[in-house]
Amino acid sequence: MVHLDTPCPDTGIFTTEEVRPRSKPCKSTSRIVSLPRNHYKEPPNLAAGFRSLDLSSEAPVRANLVADKITTDSFRITLETWGDRSILYSASATWIEHKANAKDCLFGQFDTHDLPANHGASKRGAQQENSRNFTFPQAFKEDCDIICWLNRIDMASGDRNYRIRAYATNISRTGFTAHIDTWGDSLLFGGAMCWIAFPKRKRYVQAGSFQTGDVRSWSNPIPETKSQVKFEAGAFKSHRPAPTVLCALNMIDMAGNADLRVAVDVRDIDTQGFRWSLKTFEDSTLYAAGASWIALGFA
């Protein structure tokens, strides 16, 4: 385990390479993040997801993201793997926080390991479709959006492709259904996602998803796929600073004959929109990938 207890500022992004080089993988990499001073009277709620993953294919591909030791001033963020042969070369994460007991934004977590034993999964938890219904503590007064970010994966490697998708259906003002699925010959031992729910018309907030399929077909894999997102007209005032865009992966579809290497990036952010890319590198093949984003136009 490698841990850096020197606090870094709250930027919404953490990468293992802030703590150690990619060439020195270890089971757990973490650091302390400072929250804005005097901003929270009690520990805030956090939601976090994978922004990038670089995992060896020599064993099951396993990665987990944890945010804990949360106080009013700081928290610890950890990216980790487990098992005798699993190797995490590097990874990065995105997080978002809000005040405890906030009613206009809700966070939650769905982990396939929390499903009941009679859900149909095998002893090791391998199942292609996993879902759970969530009911909000208090119904929203208007329609809401749900953002899903992957934050744990445990999949077979070798001849089986890496396929996982986190998404929401049956969204209403009172709740929704969360899903973590795989398909084809892929073997998903387990997975987890965070979810973020908020009103569709929340001021100075925009959200959505994008994927490689918006630009190219699954059958035409390339190392990097790029495009752009345009915000709704007038969502962010032109005289204000550009909004903060937080983005994490919600879907991966890669060949299993090489390491799992995938990343999402956003750049050129202004009040009109931003540019995004989904990419891999070296000998990995990225058939498809997707991500969800939330743009915040207030401090």
Side-chain angles (χ1 to χ4, degrees):
M1 183 177 85
V2 179
H3 174 69
L4 190 61
D5 58 8
T6 303
C8 72
D10 179 10
T11 62
I13 297 174
F14 166 66
T15 173
T16 55
E17 294 183 63
E18 296 173 19
V19 180
R20 61 165 176 82
R22 177 181 177 273
S23 59
K24 295 184 177 180
C26 65
K27 293 297 183 186
S28 177
T29 306
S30 60
R31 77 167 302 157
I32 299 298
V33 176
S34 290
L35 295 169
R37 292 189 63 184
N38 303 319
H39 188 71
Y40 297 108
K41 294 182 179 180
E42 54 186 304
N45 295 324
L46 279 91
F50 295 131
R51 187 180 175 96
S52 69
L53 291 168
D54 184 356
L55 296 158
S56 172
S57 62
E58 296 302 313
V61 289
R62 293 170 169 153
N64 189 41
L65 168 59
V66 180
D68 63 1
K69 295 191 174 181
I70 305 168
T71 71
T72 57
D73 301 316
S74 67
F75 68 95
R76 180 179 66 180
I77 190 162
T78 304
L79 286 158
E80 61 187 6
T81 189
W82 65 96
D84 294 335
R85 296 184 297 125
S86 297
I87 300 173
L88 175 64
Y89 293 112
S90 69
S92 62
T94 293
W95 71 84
I96 184 173
E97 78 234 18
H98 69 63
K99 293 180 180 180
N101 303 316
K103 296 181 180 179
D104 62 343
C105 186
L106 299 174
F107 295 169
Q109 182 79 1
F110 171 41
D111 192 317
T112 60
H113 284 178
D114 295 335
L115 293 172
N118 62 0
H119 180 71
S122 71
K123 188 175 181 180
R124 292 198 64 188
Q127 175 149 317
Q128 288 208 314
E129 297 182 0
N130 304 273
S131 63
R132 178 185 168 188
N133 295 324
F134 285 86
T135 300
F136 302 137
Q138 182 174 334
F140 285 98
K141 294 181 180 180
E142 57 185 285
D143 293 344
C144 64
D145 277 326
I146 305 288
I147 295 298
C148 301
W149 289 345
L150 287 164
N151 55 26
R152 184 172 70 83
I153 63 170
D154 183 2
M155 306 181 71
S157 59
D159 294 332
R160 299 176 184 269
N161 289 348
Y162 313 126
R163 301 183 179 106
I164 186 171
R165 182 186 175 211
Y167 61 102
T169 62
N170 303 321
I171 301 170
S172 72
R173 298 182 184 186
T174 59
F176 72 101
T177 304
H179 302 260
I180 297 177
D181 297 346
T182 190
W183 59 97
D185 67 345
S186 298
L187 188 57
L188 177 65
F189 299 127
M193 59 171 248
C194 71
W195 55 264
I196 305 162
F198 54 93
K200 282 181 177 290
R201 298 180 182 178
K202 186 172 174 61
R203 194 178 186 192
Y204 300 134
V205 176
Q206 290 272 280
S209 298
F210 54 78
Q211 58 177 306
T212 53
D214 299 336
V215 178
R216 63 167 176 83
S217 69
W218 175 92
S219 60
N220 181 35
I222 56 177
E224 184 172 15
T225 303
K226 302 178 182 180
S227 190
Q228 61 182 338
V229 165
K230 292 292 185 182
F231 299 135
E232 291 182 9
F236 302 107
K237 303 299 183 182
S238 59
H239 66 277
R240 298 172 64 93
T244 298
V245 176
L246 301 172
C247 186
L249 295 162
N250 63 16
M251 189 263 287
I252 301 168
D253 185 353
M254 302 188 67
N257 60 358
D259 290 353
L260 190 159
R261 306 179 180 104
V262 61
V264 61
D265 187 33
V266 295
R267 60 186 63 191
D268 300 331
I269 303 166
D270 59 27
T271 56
Q272 306 302 309
F274 62 91
R275 299 195 63 81
W276 60 263
S277 70
L278 288 158
K279 56 189 175 182
T280 189
F281 58 96
E282 294 185 9
D283 62 343
S284 298
T285 301
L286 181 63
Y287 293 119
S292 292
W293 58 271
I294 182 168
L296 307 172
F298 46 83

